[in-house]
Amino acid sequence: MGRATAASLILLIGALLTPAFAGHDYAQALSKSILFFEAQRSGYLPGNQRVQWRGNSGLGDGKLNGVDLVGGYYDAGDNVKFGLPMAFTVTMMSWSIIEYGKQIAGAGELGHALEAVKWGTDYLIKAHPEPYVLYGEVGDGNTDHYCWQRPEDMTTSRAAYKIDPEHPGSDLAGETAAAMAAASIVFRRYDPAYSKELLNHAYQKLLSQLFDFADKYRGKYDGSITIAQKYYRSVSGYADELLWAAAWLHKATNNRYYLNYLGNNGDSLGGTGWGMTEFGWDVKYAGVQTLVSKLLMAGRGREHSPVFERYQEKAEYFMCSCVGKGTQNAQKTPGGLIFRQRWNNMQFVTSAAFLMTVYSDYLSSAGKYLRCSSGNVSPAELLAVAKSQVDYILGDNPRATSYMVGYGNNYPRQVHHRGSSIVSYKVDPSFVSCRGGYATWFSRRANDPNVLTGAIVGGPDAYDNFADERDNYEQTEPATYNNAPLVGILARFHGGYNQHHLLSLELELPPPLDHHHRAGSGVSVDDPIEITQRETGSWVYNGKTFHRYSATITNKSSNKLQDLKLEISGLYGPLRGLAKLNNDSASSFSLPSWVNNSLAPGKSVGFVYIQPASPAEVSVSSFNLA
């Protein structure tokens, strides 16, 4: 073969390969991944519903139990609402927005993402009608799986199942607390009142809310809601959820109780002992370890450093296993996909890819490397592995198949999903009976009449093989918790990354809700006002040492403190927790709006700032006592 002919052949092969392996449209994939949640909605659908082939369903949910449980999400291709995976879905969607909200907004999808979270949290609020009561399932998987009906027609049981002090479920209550805490962070900027409502359910509103419920009345939820065992068995137990909830509650409240909980219980609850190679709705250890590692990298929690460092060792064990440079590496298919199990393997792929993505970004911001038994791994190398998993899902695989429905030209057409596989009732309102659905629609060897856009299906087997058949539920059934982590990753790959992310996010912390842990020397004391501050962390970035300072203002008088004006000199970095006064002075501040610029007797308010210098000087300019 001549050179010209060989060169022409190479160009031809390149042209043929380009469509399947060209760069992906992550913005389009992001939009579709969020749209999928609208197809999973239960309850009364809103006027702006975009998935038009769906209709209202489950409108009597909770009625048999005397509660309103209308709403929420169907978890997968059936019509049951399972509380544990639904709460995990909300937590991961919220984490996606917390980390990459700016990128989601840049793609024009932030509004839809917030709606997706709120559809879940609105339901979780309903599911928690009393302090020590939480509903964890609506519907019966056994009777539901006996039928093949679209949600709008279902005739199966809609009984609801709950946990309470006599029937505990620490894993379910802990995950729900984590979901509400994470979502409260999301809505703090966009809907403060709703954010506070969520936090009231997760936090100790009456010293008896979800975290307290989970911690005080310990037990596995599937020992109380036994009907869930066949579908969402809590194999890992509840210890991981207790730590997971504490990590999110600390992030949401800045309350040192939860930081100390992580430090004091890390060993006994397995946070420092379990080195994992999976992360998902059942096993949360790798997620907790990642969150604690971020605290360490940001210079926080130094009083628990020995324990937190053991958390981080296990976080890096997980990352190294995914990269293939650890002591026990994750199994991968010949095409490079992380493989954990045949049934819905993609849930582990998207969750692992999310943890790798955020950990890579944490490392980049802290100027660190991943430490593996086979050598150091750069943040870029870790991110590349995460990207390889996402690209595999979107079509860069031996079959050139997209495992996101509706993305690309070659994607699953016979999804194991009742709603998408049966003609929309808007097209044909004829009732679909329980067994008739199997005979007429399930057994059809034809494409789904409704495209389940954005759904991530179970995916291929250990050898990259995939059969697009409706009865192949192990490979063709989607799930909400497959999509939730992918929202953040796709936003990251579409919108890039802010190098100062780790530093700036530390300033998103709210003022501490626990004011019983004050320390440090007073900077300025003007009786009846006490101002104390302390350094709570430090780290080196680009050769410069940054310090994080936490200050507390306390009203020591017996009167209400109003119209307080502070002067802060020697401030060289950003500050969060006080209101800037609109005057000529750049150093004048007042109390924040959330306390209405007043403090009751004996009450305190906190603020934080980060700067590469010694503490700023804080003094009182003026105030009034009412």
Side-chain angles (χ1 to χ4, degrees):
M1 182 181 292
R3 287 187 178 180
T5 305
S8 300
L9 182 58
I10 291 172
L11 288 173
L12 176 60
I13 292 173
L16 290 173
L17 290 177
T18 296
F21 294 94
H24 290 287
D25 187 339
Y26 297 117
Q28 180 192 125
L30 171 64
S31 299
K32 293 178 184 296
S33 69
I34 297 173
L35 182 62
F36 165 67
F37 290 100
E38 295 193 20
Q40 298 302 108
R41 286 173 169 172
S42 181
Y44 292 96
L45 301 186
N48 63 353
Q49 170 82 8
R50 294 176 294 165
V51 179
Q52 288 295 306
W53 48 267
R54 279 296 323 282
N56 298 336
S57 62
L59 303 184
D61 285 359
K63 191 172 183 179
L64 293 173
N65 302 77
V67 291
D68 176 10
L69 295 176
V70 176
Y73 288 111
Y74 302 119
D75 70 302
D78 52 27
N79 298 328
V80 184
K81 295 189 298 200
F82 293 99
L84 183 59
M86 191 193 306
F88 178 71
T89 294
V90 170
T91 307
M92 293 308 296
M93 280 198 290
S94 298
W95 196 359
S96 290
I97 298 171
I98 290 167
E99 297 289 349
Y100 304 115
K102 290 182 179 178
Q103 292 90 329
I104 295 173
E109 290 295 330
L110 182 59
H112 293 138
L114 293 174
E115 288 175 359
V117 172
K118 192 171 186 296
W119 195 268
T121 51
D122 282 349
Y123 173 79
L124 295 179
I125 288 172
K126 290 182 176 183
H128 184 225
E130 302 173 42
Y132 287 145
V133 173
L134 177 64
Y135 283 88
E137 182 173 332
V138 178
D140 172 357
N142 295 328
T143 59
D144 182 90
H145 285 205
Y146 181 75
C147 299
W148 193 264
Q149 294 173 290
R150 54 196 176 196
E152 295 81 5
D153 286 328
M154 59 183 171
T155 56
T156 50
S157 168
R158 301 307 290 174
Y161 304 87
K162 68 181 179 180
I163 57 172
D164 56 32
E166 289 73 39
H167 310 89
S170 300
D171 30 23
L172 174 64
E175 180 59 69
T176 306
M180 289 184 171
S184 77
I185 301 172
V186 168
F187 287 105
R188 186 179 297 147
R189 178 178 300 174
Y190 306 104
D191 190 342
Y194 189 66
S195 172
K196 185 176 180 181
E197 181 181 5
L198 290 168
L199 205 54
N200 281 343
H201 282 266
Y203 186 58
Q204 298 176 358
K205 180 182 179 183
L206 302 171
L207 297 180
S208 57
Q209 295 293 324
L210 283 168
F211 182 81
D212 184 60
F213 180 20
D215 196 32
K216 185 176 181 179
Y217 299 101
R218 295 190 177 186
K220 288 174 53 176
Y221 95 104
D222 60 8
S224 300
I225 305 177
T226 56
I227 201 165
Q229 290 182 3
K230 186 177 177 181
Y231 304 96
Y232 288 101
R233 189 180 189 90
S234 182
V235 178
S236 72
Y238 56 77
D240 51 338
E241 275 87 6
L242 290 176
L243 295 173
W244 177 244
W248 279 111
L249 278 160
H250 175 257
K251 192 173 181 66
T253 68
N254 198 21
N255 188 323
R256 295 194 64 79
Y257 172 83
Y258 298 106
L259 186 73
N260 293 334
Y261 190 97
L262 290 167
N264 296 335
N265 295 281
D267 292 336
S268 62
L269 294 179
T272 63
W274 284 105
M276 307 305 300
T277 57
E278 71 173 84
F279 171 59
W281 62 263
D282 180 32
V283 187
K284 315 291 166 50
Y285 283 114
V288 178
Q289 292 153 358
T290 298
L291 289 171
V292 173
S293 297
K294 184 187 178 184
L295 287 173
L296 265 185
M297 285 187 246
R300 306 194 67 223
R302 288 192 299 176
E303 64 270 39
H304 297 293
S305 287
V307 178
F308 284 2
E309 285 169 2
R310 294 198 292 275
Y311 274 98
Q312 187 171 22
E313 288 174 5
K314 294 302 186 291
E316 301 210 332
Y317 178 95
F318 176 87
M319 306 300 163
C320 294
S321 76
C322 294
V323 175
K325 292 191 175 183
T327 55
Q328 182 180 353
N329 295 324
Q331 178 185 348
K332 293 185 179 179
T333 69
L337 185 72
I338 292 173
F339 188 82
R340 182 78 190 174
Q341 66 182 33
R342 177 176 170 81
W343 187 347
N344 190 17
N345 181 64
M346 282 303 185
Q347 63 180 302
F348 302 111
V349 177
T350 60
S351 294
F354 181 88
L355 290 189
M356 284 189 281
T357 300
V358 296
Y359 203 84
S360 168
D361 289 343
Y362 298 164
L363 289 171
S364 293
S365 287
K368 297 180 181 294
Y369 284 80
L370 174 63
R371 299 158 295 183
C372 297
S373 59
S374 299
N376 288 343
V377 175
S378 70
E381 185 179 351
L382 181 61
L383 187 65
V385 176
K387 185 175 182 295
S388 73
Q389 301 303 298
V390 175
D391 289 347
Y392 184 110
I393 292 172
L394 296 181
D396 291 3
N397 54 65
R399 290 178 50 86
T401 296
S402 166
Y403 294 104
M404 175 184 282
V405 177
Y407 180 88
N409 296 319
N410 183 22
Y411 55 82
R413 311 278 177 163
Q414 295 187 33
V415 183
H416 184 91
H417 187 275
R418 287 158 175 76
S420 66
S421 67
I422 302 174
V423 65
S424 170
Y425 82 103
K426 295 179 181 179
V427 175
D428 184 354
S430 301
F431 175 72
V432 177
S433 67
C434 169
R435 301 303 292 175
Y438 271 110
T440 305
W441 295 103
F442 179 79
S443 59
R444 274 177 87 238
R445 296 300 177 189
N447 294 345
D448 294 336
N450 310 303
V451 179
L452 192 63
T453 302
I456 302 298
V457 298
D461 66 13
Y463 305 98
D464 300 300
N465 299 314
F466 177 79
D468 183 15
E469 298 168 356
R470 195 167 294 112
D471 59 357
N472 180 20
Y473 58 87
E474 293 181 332
Q475 294 189 328
T476 62
E477 186 171 17
T480 56
Y481 44 88
N482 295 8
N483 279 60
L486 197 61
V487 169
I489 315 171
L490 292 170
R492 167 65 173 85
F493 291 144
H494 164 68
Y497 172 65
N498 178 3
Q499 182 68 20
H500 300 284
H501 187 62
L502 189 62
L503 305 184
S504 63
L505 265 191
E506 283 301 297
L507 288 171
E508 294 295 330
L509 289 169
L513 294 182
D514 175 12
H515 302 297
H516 301 293
H517 301 280
R518 295 193 298 274
S521 59
V523 176
S524 172
V525 178
D526 285 63
D527 196 26
I529 303 167
E530 180 183 67
I531 302 175
T532 61
Q533 66 173 332
R534 60 176 175 160
E535 180 181 336
T536 58
S538 65
W539 57 91
V540 177
Y541 178 73
N542 282 349
K544 185 178 292 187
T545 300
F546 286 82
H547 305 270
R548 183 184 190 276
Y549 299 102
S550 176
T552 304
I553 306 166
T554 303
N555 178 10
K556 297 175 62 180
S557 76
S558 58
N559 301 96
K560 180 187 288 187
L561 176 65
Q562 294 179 325
D563 303 320
L564 176 66
K565 292 183 176 59
L566 300 173
E567 288 293 323
I568 304 180
S569 59
L571 182 64
Y572 304 106
L575 179 146
R576 185 60 58 89
L578 295 177
K580 186 74 180 64
L581 288 175
N582 295 321
N583 56 25
D584 294 335
S585 173
S587 59
S588 297
F589 296 84
S590 66
L591 293 175
S593 59
W594 68 272
V595 296
N596 297 319
N597 197 19
S598 65
L599 276 181
K603 296 298 183 179
S604 301
V605 66
F607 64 93
V608 296
Y609 59 96
I610 293 175
Q611 62 184 28
S614 56
E617 295 291 328
V618 184
S619 60
V620 175
S621 296
S622 62
F623 63 91
N624 290 314
L625 292 176

